[in-house]
């Protein structure tokens, strides 16, 4: 069973990962975006960890909803609303339970990913965070490690795609040959599950 502590560890591990990879995320964003994806997410996840240190929600759902609200209020551009929606909707789907199963987490993350697709209008193959998140959710039922591998594979697979959504889509064919920063940061979020679980 996964309790509130697990979800706090997940958010803390994700924040540490974004911290480590911020420069790479911004470098990926430079040719096809605003060159601020890493710094924006870094600011957002730092706010999440600072808030979780002050407030201690005692259910998994409440932790993710709090994290989502922080990201929406502190991250600029499209990333804030998209990441915020992902975590808030996942948290909402988990409800008020003090502990959840891995299957419940899988179902909740799927609800979160569906909400992101609705908000952003993106589908797999559009060269967005969805390209990492959809395969990750499909693999979550197997293990956190399988989900992390699927997300990473999905992120790398965005490189030859032409962007059809978001800022990168304005570049048309010039977006081909660049790995999508949103898919890359999404893979970091999923990989943080492995760290949180000690798998």
């Amino acid at each position: 069973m996964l309790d509130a502590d697990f979800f706090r560890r997940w958010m803390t591990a994700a924040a540490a990962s974004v911290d480590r990879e911020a420069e790479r995320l911004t470098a990926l964003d430079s040719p096809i975006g605003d060159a601020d994806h890493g710094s924006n997410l870094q600011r957002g996840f730092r706010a999440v960890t600072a808030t979780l240190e002050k407030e201690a929600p005692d259910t998994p759902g409440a932790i993710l909803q709090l994290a989502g609200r922080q990201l929406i209020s502190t991250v600029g551009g499209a990333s804030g609303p998209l990441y915020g929606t992902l975590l808030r909707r996942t948290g909402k789907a988990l409800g008020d339970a003090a502990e959840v199963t891995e299957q419940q987490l899988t179902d909740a993350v799927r609800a979160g990913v569906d909400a992101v697709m609705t908000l952003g209008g993106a589908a797999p193959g559009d060269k967005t965070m969805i390209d990492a998140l959809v395969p990750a959710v499909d693999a979550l039922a197997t293990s956190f490690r399988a989900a992390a591998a699927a997300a990473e594979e999905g992120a790398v697979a965005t490189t030859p795609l032409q962007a059809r959504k978001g800022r990168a889509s304005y570049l048309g064919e010039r977006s081909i040959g660049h790995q999508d920063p949103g898919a890359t940061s999404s893979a970091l979020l999923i990989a943080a599950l492995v760290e949180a679980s000690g798998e």
Side-chain angles (χ1 to χ4, degrees), residues 82 116 120 122-133 154-155 158 161 163-166 180-184 186:
L82 292 168
V116 171
D126 284 344
K127 199 184 182 93
T128 70
M129 63 196 293
I130 295 303
D131 289 306
L133 291 172
T158 61
L161 300 177
R164 293 200 290 256
K165 289 288 173 191
D180 183 66
T184 307
S186 295

Side-chain angles (χ1 to χ4, degrees), residues 93-107:
L94 291 174
D96 298 326
E99 295 185 324
V100 298
T101 64
E102 289 187 17
Q103 183 57 54
Q104 285 170 315
L105 175 58
T106 300
D107 294 342

Side-chain angles (χ1 to χ4, degrees), residues 80-174:
L82 292 168
Y83 268 101
T85 295
L86 174 66
L87 294 179
R88 284 178 67 187
R89 187 68 191 82
T90 301
K92 198 173 171 194
L94 291 174
D96 298 326
E99 295 185 324
V100 298
T101 64
E102 289 187 17
Q103 183 57 54
Q104 285 170 315
L105 175 58
T106 300
D107 294 342
V109 174
R110 192 177 298 281
V113 173
D114 287 345
V116 171
M117 285 200 274
T118 301
L119 177 66
D126 284 344
K127 199 184 182 93
T128 70
M129 63 196 293
I130 295 303
D131 289 306
L133 291 172
V134 167
V137 174
D138 290 341
L140 255 182
T142 308
S143 69
F144 292 145
R145 202 170 280 285
E152 179 60 28
E153 210 171 285
V156 171
T158 61
T159 305
L161 300 177
Q162 179 173 327
R164 293 200 290 256
K165 289 288 173 191
R167 183 71 197 270
S169 65
Y170 304 155
L171 296 173
E173 287 184 3
R174 282 179 299 149

Side-chain angles (χ1 to χ4, degrees), residues 17-34:
S17 192
V18 166
D19 239 9
R20 282 194 305 272
E21 299 286 339
E23 283 183 18
R24 181 169 78 102
L25 292 173
T26 291
L28 288 173
D29 195 33
S30 190
I32 59 172
D34 292 327

